[in-house]
Every structure is written in structure tokens, then in C-alpha cells.
Amino acid sequence: MFKYILKRLGISILILLGVSIILYVLLRCMPSDFVEQKILALATNGVTVTDEFVEKMKASYGLDGTILQGYFKWLFNVFRLDFGESFISHREVLSDIFRADRIGTSFFVAAVATVFEFLIAIPLGITAATHQYSFRDYAVTVLVLIGISLPSFFFGKVLQDVFAYKLRLFSIAGMTDANLSFNNPWDEFKDYIGHMALPIFTVTLLSIGGRMRMTRTNMLEVLNADYIRTARAKGLSESKVIYKHAFRNTLIPIVTGLAGLIPSLFSGAMITEQVFKLTGIGSYALNAMTQGDIPVIMTYNMFLATLSVLGVLMSDLMYGLVDPRVKLA
Amino acid sequence: MEYLYLMILTCLLVLAIAYFVNNKRSIKPSLSFAGVNRSQNGSFTLKLSKTSGENGQTETETTAATTETVEQEGGDQTVTDAEKPLDKNVRLLSPTRMVVRRFLRSKLSIVGLVMLISLFVFCWLGPVVYNRWGEIETERGVFPDYTKEIVYDENHEVEYIQLIVKYKEINSLAAPSAEHLLGTDEQGMDVFTRLMYGGRLSLTISFLAVFLISFLGIVLGGLAGYYGGWVDNLIMRICDVLMCLPTLPLMLIIGTVLDSNGVPQDWYIYLLMGILSIFSWPGMARLVRGQILYLREQEYMVAAEAMGYSTGRKIFKHLVPNIMPQIIVSMTLSLGSMILYESTLSYLGLGVRIPYASWGTMVSIISERTDILQNNFNVWGPPGICIIIAVLGFNFIGDGLIDALDPKQRR
């Protein structure tokens, strides 16, 4: 077991190295990088820009030298846990990302959405499976397929239009109302929820479909198993058969799927955050990408890649823990 | 108000589809006696008749897996069943026909098929029939533009509503009329016409991307599964690396790189989606590899080996056709997700750019203009609905195909 984990971790490090090389080379291929944009801005303001100045500027951002040199410099710094500082805000990237209003916001939205997703999708999946090919099954299937098919930007905007602009039930966008001052924490909390409700609803609705279909497929598989027939033959009540015998076995893939959720909890929903103008990590990265802020882009993407590598490893390990039939080697 | 109608309509549609699907598709028990089936003339029979003994016939039921390969010829041979040899009594269906049959029996996939066919007809034949406006044609002329303004008299006592008429050169944001069926966008271009041209582009691109993904996935996954060893290891590690790259950020970076290299507008989105396919084949490759690992241990592959077939023939003639069902399902589902990717990229301003149309580009106007978001549903609503219809159509079909192509299916 220990050896297995070590081996997997070793492979993970190789994978992450590969990911970082691809990303870094691509980023340095952007000819209109941050420095050039800045110089262009200076030049249009009438400042004469010498070659010397350009070189100096590039050196100050660590963009001098070849791509290979730059990569190894970046890698060396990463091993010292130095991820550089953002070109835009000139702050340490790590402390910039791991702030309560950045990753905290993204995590809050994702976590609440995930809880709702499970609470809604699993019962739906179970009813669809136990009433297979019935009206209920088809209604649920059609509904969740519509949920999967919604483009997040379109759906988010429709929600914004209906509930924020037209009905004025929730706040339109942003994190807080700038023109309001709060007397007690309860009002502040209400305001926060008012801003978060629509993004959470968007994320939840878009993700219910996949989870529900997974639950339904697994439940159907379990319901066809021999031990379910035995349980029924014993004369157990239907609810006992379904919730005690079938559902518990359906839980195996659901629980292992939890580990696979790790990346999505922290990555931030890029499009949804952009639509609702949240200051989460997703919109932060989107902003960095349009401006060529290399340290932020590298850190964000490597953070995501690390999480997804860990997520896969964790879900494999969970399988070994939850399902006694699976042996890791 | 339009939302209320839209919501009611959607709810009704969902209920109607579910009812339609449920109603027409009565569930027959998977195994039934011959007598029952013969009485329902023309219904799908699920069993083999076999002659034996003096008492005429004994019915033997086939196992679930093989039932559908066999179909009885007609309803009038009750007497002759016993005399006829087995192969005359039954008609074998080719696997393809079986799949088509099962596919068409699922009403959900019919709904999906109808949705997609009507979209295709709309996009490709539409501009031929309705050619009053071009894709990037701006209507110019002199158009009145009314704005209301509230004015007060000197003492701030009486309110007037003043109607100001200005004239503008471009017929922008016109309301739907006979002239412009869905009105015009803020550049004075006909929304209805752009919808058709945008659909052409979105659908074409998604098909191209999916074919490229499948090609790469089948070839690389096939090689990995068939050869095993270091080839497998290498290809699978590349897969791992590519799967860890977050797709949307990656596409944003590549979009900027392409942008600054001056890729011509006409080719931009094709190139972008091509690169997207290069990064998204691992899913398909894993699917193919897993299946081939299983299939190459089967007896018929040993037979193929003994016949001395070439490797290429073994892979592409004997292994790949056997995994075609899974490949087709996965292709159908990824067609939908490719449309979503394309529209998302266009929405972020990386895909097709104004004046050229794609569904995502047409929606993207609302990311900056909240006045259009609130007042001009006819500009951004229809393309969004078209995206949903297309993706939903592919998902319905994929869902039907999963059932139709599953050899373990009993119905």
C-alpha cells in the first residue's frame, strides 16, 4: 500500500513537470506579453523607449534569456516555494490567491453548490432508477439533460436578467452593495447570500445532471444484482431493500467520486464568476490570462493540475478503502 | 413577460416530451411465451421456436443476450412452425439494423433527431430561402430613434415627458418586424439571418473537432492497447499530462498566442478548435485502450493471429469495429460539449469575432451591454436557445444510442 502510494506520487510529480513545461512554453510564446503591452502604453504616451530600457524592463520581470533558462529559473524558484509576484498588482502570487475574498469566495460557491448538487441529484437518481422507464424516469432524465446542455454564460445572464434586473430578488453582480452600510452581522450575511445565490444556483443546476445520471446508472446496476433478488425473496420491505441494500452499494462510486471533486471545489467557476462579477479565483485567473501575467497564470494552472492529480490518486485510494473487493497494487 | 411565456413553454415541453416518450413505449416483458407474441400480430418476438418430439413443438427460450438477433417472419405460420427447419422459421437481423430499430424505438432519441434535423435544415437551407439580408450586411439609411426624457418647468412643479426624435444612419436594435423577423443587433445586422450563418459555423466546427479527436483517440489508444509495454506507457503518460491541463485556461492562452501571430480571421476559430482537439483526445484514447486490452484476449483474436493477419488489419478490421458502439456514443456526447466550448470561447471574445457570426459571438454582446440584456431579448435570446437545442439534441441522441448499442439490452 505504502509502496503503491509512493509510486503514484512519483508518477504525479513527472506529470506535473510535463504540465508545467507545456504551460510555460506556451506562455512565453505570447509575443504580446505583459512587458510589451506596458512599453506600448509608454510609447503611445510619448515616452521614447530605448532598447536598453526594454532589456532592463524584461530583466526586472524575469523575462530575459531564452525560454529554457526562464523555465529552469521558474522551476528552481518553485522548489524554494517562491512563486514570484504578480506583474499587475506586484504582490506575492501565493498570498494574492489564498485570500479570503479570492479562494474563499470560490470555495464557498463551489462547496454550497456541491452540497445542493448531492442533495438533489442523488434522490432524483434513485427515484429514476427504481421507477425505470416510467413517466417519472423520463421527466427526470429530460430535465437533467436540459441542465447539462445549458451554456453557463447564457444561463447565468438569463438568471441575472430575471431575478436581479426584472424581479429584483437578488443583487445583480459583485460581492457587496457598495452604497449600503450594515449595522449588524445578520444584514451583512443577508446581503452576502443575496450576492451568492444566483452563482450558486447556476453552478448547481449545471452539475446536477452528471451526478444524477451516474447515480441512476449505478443504482440500476445494483438493483439487477443477485443479492437484491435475495433480499426481496426474504420478504424485506421495498424501502429496506432499496435504502439499506441497494443504496449502500450505490454509495461506493458516490463516495469515491467525492475525491474527484477536490479540483472543482478550489478552481472557481471561471465563466460564472465572470458573469456575476465575483472576485473569486476564477475571474482573477481570467483577468491574469488576458493581460499575460505569467506568474499568476503559472501558479493558478499548476495549482489546478496538482489538485486534479491528487484528486485522481485520492479517489483510487478511496476505492481501496470503501470497496473491499478492490485491491490496490 | 417573455420569460414567463418561455418558462411555461419549457415546462410544457418537458412534460410533453416525457409523456410522449412514456406513453408510446409500453414495456413488454423481455421473455414471453410464443403464443402471446403471435397473437399480437407484427409485434417484436423475442424467442426461437424449436421442433422436438412427437407432440409438435416445445418452446425454448433464448437467453436475453441473443433474443433480438432473431425475429419471426409473420403471424400466420402457427401451423407450419413445426414443419419448417429452424433457419426458415427465423429471420436474422444484421447488427446495424438491430441498432437502428432499437434506436428508433426510443422516443427520446427521435425527439433529439427531429431537433437536430430541423436545426440543420434551418441553418443550411435557411439562407437559401431567406436571402434578403446577408450575414454581415448592415442596414443603412435614415431611421428615427425615439428617446424619452423627463423635463420639468422652471418651478420644478410640472413634469413633462419629452419625446426626442433623432435620426441614425444604422438601423440598430430594431424590434422584430416583417422586415427583420428577429429584429437587428446593435450593428444593424439582421439577427434571424445571422442565426442561420452562425449555426452553420458552430455545427461545422463541432463536427470537425469531434472527428479529429476521434481519429487521434482511436489511433493512439489502439496503438497503446494493442502493443502494450513501453508504447502503452508513453502514450498513457502523455494522456495523463494532457488530462491535467485545465482546458479553458489553456484555450485562453492559446487564443492569445494565435491572436498575436496574426492568424487570419477566417481560419482563426478552425485553428483554435483544431488545437483544442489536439489537447482533448486522451478521453477517447483511454476508452479505446481499455476496450482493446479486453478484446485482444478474446478467442477470435487468437484465431486472427493464427490466420497470420497483419497488425493493421487486426487492429482496424477486427478490434476497432468491435468498439465502434462505445466510440459512437462518446462522439455524439462530445459533439454537444464541443458546441458548448466553441460558444464559450466566442463569448469570451476568443472565437469568431463580429461582424462574423457564431451563436456564442451573438450572445457575447450582453457581457458588456446591460441595456441590451434587459431590453433586447430578441438579440441574444435566440442564439442561446439554439445552442441549447443543439446540445440537447446531441445529448438525447447519445442517450438513445447508449441504450440502442448496448448488446446486453433486453428490450
Side-chain angles (χ1 to χ4, degrees), chain B residues 167-189:
Chain B
Y167 288 93
K168 52 185 181 181
E169 280 178 16
I170 295 171
N171 189 13
S172 59
L173 295 174
S177 61
E179 192 82 343
H180 296 281
L181 289 180
L182 285 172
T184 56
D185 61 8
E186 84 297 343
Q187 311 235 356
M189 297 187 276

Side-chain angles (χ1 to χ4, degrees), chain B residues 37-347:
Chain B
N37 265 332
R38 229 173 268 129
S39 65
Q40 301 169 338
N41 206 345
S43 80
F44 202 67
T45 334
L46 299 152
K47 51 192 307 318
L48 264 171
S49 313
K50 194 169 136 196
T51 51
S52 80
E54 307 97 277
N55 291 342
Q57 56 193 90
T58 321
E59 306 291 344
T60 330
E61 281 162 9
T62 54
T63 58
T66 55
T67 44
E68 295 215 22
T69 51
V70 167
E71 192 204 23
Q72 232 153 17
E73 265 188 331
D76 58 338
Q77 85 283 52
T78 328
V79 195
T80 54
D81 265 4
E83 290 104 55
K84 270 192 182 174
L86 182 63
D87 54 337
K88 287 275 172 55
N89 203 12
V90 296
R91 185 158 56 95
L92 286 170
L93 284 178
S94 77
T96 323
R97 281 198 53 198
M98 255 161 55
V99 166
V100 171
R101 241 195 146 101
R102 267 186 298 202
F103 178 73
L104 293 182
R105 234 176 331 141
S106 142
K107 292 293 178 290
L108 206 58
S109 35
I110 301 272
V111 173
L113 214 56
V114 168
M115 281 160 77
L116 277 178
I117 289 174
S118 39
L119 262 189
F120 272 95
V121 169
F122 173 67
C123 294
W124 264 271
L125 292 183
V128 181
V129 180
Y130 183 80
N131 52 7
R132 194 187 298 180
W133 307 103
E135 182 190 358
I136 53 170
E137 187 185 339
T138 302
E139 197 190 356
R140 289 178 194 282
V142 180
F143 303 97
D145 184 15
Y146 302 100
T147 33
K148 281 179 194 159
E149 209 169 81
I150 298 167
V151 270
Y152 303 93
D153 64 342
E154 306 91 58
N155 305 328
H156 277 262
E157 277 163 1
V158 191
E159 256 182 38
Y160 300 99
I161 295 178
Q162 199 174 37
L163 198 62
I164 305 169
V165 184
K166 281 185 199 154
Y167 288 93
K168 52 185 181 181
E169 280 178 16
I170 295 171
N171 189 13
S172 59
L173 295 174
S177 61
E179 192 82 343
H180 296 281
L181 289 180
L182 285 172
T184 56
D185 61 8
E186 84 297 343
Q187 311 235 356
M189 297 187 276
D190 186 60
V191 173
F192 191 70
T193 310
R194 284 169 70 75
L195 210 56
M196 301 190 275
Y197 282 102
R200 282 186 179 187
L201 193 105
S202 298
L203 292 169
T204 318
I205 283 174
S206 67
F207 269 95
L208 288 178
V210 166
F211 279 120
L212 190 55
I213 289 175
S214 320
F215 175 74
L216 287 173
I218 292 170
V219 169
L220 291 166
L223 288 177
Y226 186 80
Y227 285 108
W230 68 269
V231 181
D232 183 26
N233 246 324
L234 180 71
I235 293 179
M236 281 303 113
R237 289 298 86 75
I238 296 176
C239 273
D240 286 339
V241 170
L242 293 185
M243 277 184 136
C244 276
L245 283 169
T247 317
L248 199 57
L250 190 76
M251 293 323 290
L252 286 169
I253 297 169
I254 290 172
T256 349
V257 172
L258 286 185
D259 233 8
S260 47
N261 282 331
V263 177
Q265 263 308 308
D266 313 3
W267 286 103
Y268 183 79
I269 185 72
Y270 291 97
L271 206 58
L272 197 63
M273 293 304 282
I275 295 171
L276 176 61
S277 336
I278 290 174
F279 282 102
S280 25
W281 56 267
M284 182 66 89
R286 285 198 163 182
L287 180 94
V288 172
R289 171 182 172 268
Q291 286 295 314
I292 282 189
L293 278 183
Y294 162 72
L295 285 176
R296 80 173 178 188
E297 305 298 326
Q298 304 289 304
E299 281 91 352
Y300 82 94
M301 281 314 291
V302 181
E305 188 92 35
M307 299 284 275
Y309 288 155
S310 68
T311 312
R313 185 164 179 181
K314 270 187 284 187
I315 295 182
F316 294 107
K317 200 103 206 255
H318 293 266
L319 289 174
V320 171
N322 273 305
I323 43 175
M324 248 4 219
Q326 283 97 328
I327 292 176
I328 290 172
V329 168
S330 144
M331 278 171 81
T332 320
L333 294 177
S334 51
L335 274 171
S337 62
M338 279 300 138
I339 289 185
L340 282 182
Y341 262 122
E342 187 275 325
S343 56
T344 308
L345 287 174
S346 293
Y347 175 80

Side-chain angles (χ1 to χ4, degrees), chain A residues 39-102:
Chain A
I39 289 167
L40 210 67
L42 283 178
T44 46
N45 284 342
V47 184
T48 44
V49 183
T50 57
D51 285 352
E52 210 174 305
F53 180 73
V54 173
E55 284 306 313
K56 242 184 183 167
M57 190 105 164
K58 280 197 167 174
S60 71
Y61 283 109
L63 291 176
D64 51 341
T66 59
I67 293 179
L68 208 65
Q69 280 172 350
Y71 177 72
F72 281 113
K73 210 160 102 191
W74 177 83
L75 198 65
F76 180 68
N77 282 335
V78 165
F79 280 122
R80 295 187 310 171
L81 290 179
D82 172 17
F83 286 86
E85 57 180 39
S86 161
F87 288 173
I88 304 169
S89 66
H90 295 287
R91 276 197 294 261
E92 281 277 308
V93 174
L94 274 192
S95 58
D96 217 12
I97 286 179
F98 291 100
R99 259 166 42 193
D101 63 335
R102 283 244 190 287

Side-chain angles (χ1 to χ4, degrees), chain A residues 15 19 31 133 135 138 145-146 149-150 153-154 157-158 161-162 165-166 213 271 274 286 289 301 309, chain B residues 3 19 21-22 25 240-241 244-246 249 252 260 344 347 366 370 373-374 384 388 392 395-396 399 411:
Chain A
I15 291 172
V19 171
Y133 301 130
F135 176 74
Y138 287 118
L145 279 180
I146 289 178
S149 310
L150 288 172
F153 57 91
F154 180 72
K157 279 289 179 188
V158 169
D161 187 20
V162 178
Y165 285 114
K166 300 250 157 73
R213 295 192 63 67
I271 303 293
Q274 195 258 355
L286 191 66
M289 266 174 248
N301 285 311
V309 166
Chain B
Y3 283 113
Y19 184 73
V21 167
N22 180 44
R25 194 169 162 187
D240 286 339
V241 170
C244 276
L245 283 169
L252 286 169
S260 47
T344 308
Y347 175 80
I366 52 174
T370 43
L373 172 70
Q374 290 181 66
I388 298 174
L392 199 60
N395 279 339
F396 277 168
D399 201 57
R411 303 184 320 122

